[in-house]
Amino acid sequence: MIIVTGATGFIGSCLISRLNQENFNAIIAVDDFSREDKLVNLEEKRILERVDREAFFDWLDNNYHEIEFLFHIGARTDTTEFDRSIFEHLNVEYSKKIWQKCIEYQIPLVYASSAATYGLGELGYDDNESLIPQLKPLNPYGDSKNEFDMWVLEQEKHPFFWAGLKFFNVYGPNEYHKSRMASVIYHAFCQIQQKGTMKLFRSHHPNFADGEQMRDFIYVKDVVEVCMFLMHHRRNSGIYNLGSGKARTFLDLANNTFQAMGVTPQIEFIDTPEDIRDKYQYYTQATMSKLRSIGYSQPFRSLEAGVEDYVKNYLMPGKYL
């Protein structure tokens, strides 16, 4: 059995699809299954059992001897949520309990961290673990992810293999339910489809022209390939960046979305909302040498290739991965 928490979510459901491709069909899907709009992400996937996240630890105590691997992808990921108690329960305390169970039952673990831990990037985007205590996230979500990373590094006992993955700007199929938190590619597609135009945030930074803000965008299919690699690798425990390693502008993203849809680009600029303006990242780029150094050699898709696949094979026909 392989456990995937956050199973109905964006990355979790794509990971299950990839596991099924490799004939891993004894999947234990862990999540809060009350949201109807997310359940469609699990349709046509081979899953052995669905376990509610609040009942999961009792279930694990009874079934641990059959577990081969645990992917802890589930989390509250809303960067605009400021109720810290929600993050403390779902992102910190729940993750600590998973860590402790993985030690107790000797289950290898991959868990989701986030590039939100890097804040404004004052210290760069290097996954050197000695820098983690100095990072300054910009919101409670980023704080919760960094708090757990720091806690992990302080532990004397570990699962025999573990890895934390700092996801950068992930985009791709199965994010239809994420509303405001969906990728900019998804929002671009919806705007272009409805109005023929797309709105981008105006720059409020003297070093960046409008639309020239840059992010490390990574296609979800590349994210799950790294997860598969780590499941088989099971050496070199640690915290790793997971981005493409190449920052691209929002203008690049927008133009590629228009092109994939066969629409002439029309882009308007609007002010960045004031509630996020002082916490807005103008540049992110993952340093990927650490993951490469342990043997991950597959190339990451270019923005052009990822956007084309996402738009033509999923968004336009309304399909899921």
Side-chain angles (χ1 to χ4, degrees):
M1 295 180 184
I2 295 173
I3 296 167
V4 179
T5 73
T8 66
F10 166 37
I11 297 172
S13 63
C14 289
L15 176 57
I16 291 173
S17 180
R18 184 70 183 89
L19 287 162
N20 285 169
Q21 281 182 10
E22 296 288 325
N23 288 318
F24 292 101
N25 300 324
I27 306 296
I28 306 303
V30 179
D31 214 327
D32 170 4
F33 294 96
S34 64
R35 277 188 58 180
E36 294 285 334
D37 59 335
K38 296 174 71 175
L39 296 182
V40 67
N41 281 344
L42 292 186
E43 287 183 3
E44 299 182 17
K45 293 178 175 59
R46 294 186 294 278
I47 291 166
L48 184 66
E49 191 171 349
R50 299 185 184 199
V51 180
D52 185 86
R53 71 181 178 212
E54 297 303 328
F56 170 60
F57 295 110
D58 288 338
W59 181 94
L60 185 58
D61 288 338
N62 292 320
N63 295 276
Y64 66 88
H65 50 283
E66 297 185 63
I67 304 303
E68 180 182 348
F69 207 90
L70 197 161
F71 290 102
H72 178 35
I73 310 297
R76 176 61 67 91
T77 59
D78 189 345
T79 58
T80 63
E81 171 64 69
F82 285 89
D83 183 348
R84 290 183 179 271
S85 65
I86 294 173
F87 293 108
E88 187 66 24
H89 170 58
L90 293 177
N91 293 7
V92 181
E93 294 306 320
Y94 197 91
S95 299
K96 288 179 179 179
K97 199 164 182 181
I98 281 183
W99 176 271
Q100 288 158 347
K101 291 292 184 183
C102 285
I103 294 170
E104 183 179 353
Y105 299 135
Q106 282 301 288
I107 300 170
L109 169 68
V110 165
Y111 74 86
S113 183
S114 172
T117 56
Y118 288 115
L120 290 174
E122 301 95 334
L123 299 175
Y125 298 93
D126 189 339
D127 47 6
N128 181 336
E129 291 169 11
S130 67
L131 297 174
I132 287 174
Q134 302 172 52
L135 298 178
K136 298 176 182 176
L138 298 171
N139 50 52
Y141 164 67
D143 282 334
S144 70
K145 289 297 188 180
N146 205 50
E147 182 180 339
F148 182 65
D149 286 345
M150 287 193 292
W151 181 86
V152 161
L153 295 176
E154 292 165 356
Q155 299 311 296
E156 292 183 4
K157 293 183 178 180
H158 308 93
F160 73 85
F161 169 73
W162 65 274
L165 296 176
K166 293 197 180 208
F167 297 144
F168 276 67
N169 284 68
V170 187
Y171 67 95
N174 301 15
E175 60 170 338
Y176 298 103
H177 64 279
K178 288 177 66 71
S179 61
R180 188 178 178 183
M181 289 297 110
S183 72
V184 183
I185 293 113
Y186 175 74
H187 288 297
F189 174 83
C190 293
Q191 288 180 31
I192 295 164
Q193 191 177 52
Q194 292 165 12
K195 300 177 181 177
T197 65
M198 183 193 171
K199 294 179 179 179
L200 287 176
F201 288 150
R202 186 173 287 117
S203 174
H204 300 271
H205 191 297
N207 295 346
F208 293 85
D210 291 344
E212 296 293 329
Q213 304 96 316
M214 302 182 82
R215 289 281 193 287
D216 189 329
F217 300 103
I218 181 164
Y219 197 31
V220 70
K221 290 185 179 180
D222 290 329
V223 167
V224 300
E225 287 304 323
V226 171
C227 290
M228 296 296 289
F229 165 79
L230 291 169
M231 184 178 74
H232 295 301
H233 184 72
R234 302 192 189 192
R235 299 188 303 280
N236 310 105
S237 295
I239 296 174
Y240 295 89
N241 279 341
L242 185 42
S244 69
K246 185 170 178 58
R248 299 293 298 273
T249 70
F250 282 101
L251 273 176
D252 288 337
L253 180 153
N255 285 323
N256 276 288
T257 306
F258 277 106
Q259 183 174 338
M261 294 175 72
V263 177
T264 302
Q266 289 191 58
I267 298 169
E268 302 172 14
F269 292 99
I270 59 172
D271 285 343
T272 305
E274 289 195 14
D275 65 331
I276 61 170
R277 192 177 299 180
D278 63 339
K279 300 177 176 62
Y280 187 82
Q281 294 172 306
Y282 278 81
Y283 175 88
T284 67
Q285 180 171 283
T287 303
M288 292 304 299
S289 53
K290 188 174 174 183
L291 183 67
R292 295 298 192 195
S293 74
I294 67 167
Y296 188 76
S297 58
Q298 291 192 50
F300 294 110
R301 287 170 178 80
S302 67
L303 184 65
E304 287 78 3
V307 169
E308 183 175 24
D309 183 52
Y310 183 24
V311 170
K312 290 185 175 179
N313 295 321
Y314 299 95
L315 290 175
M316 292 183 80
K319 289 186 176 179
Y320 292 77
L321 179 62

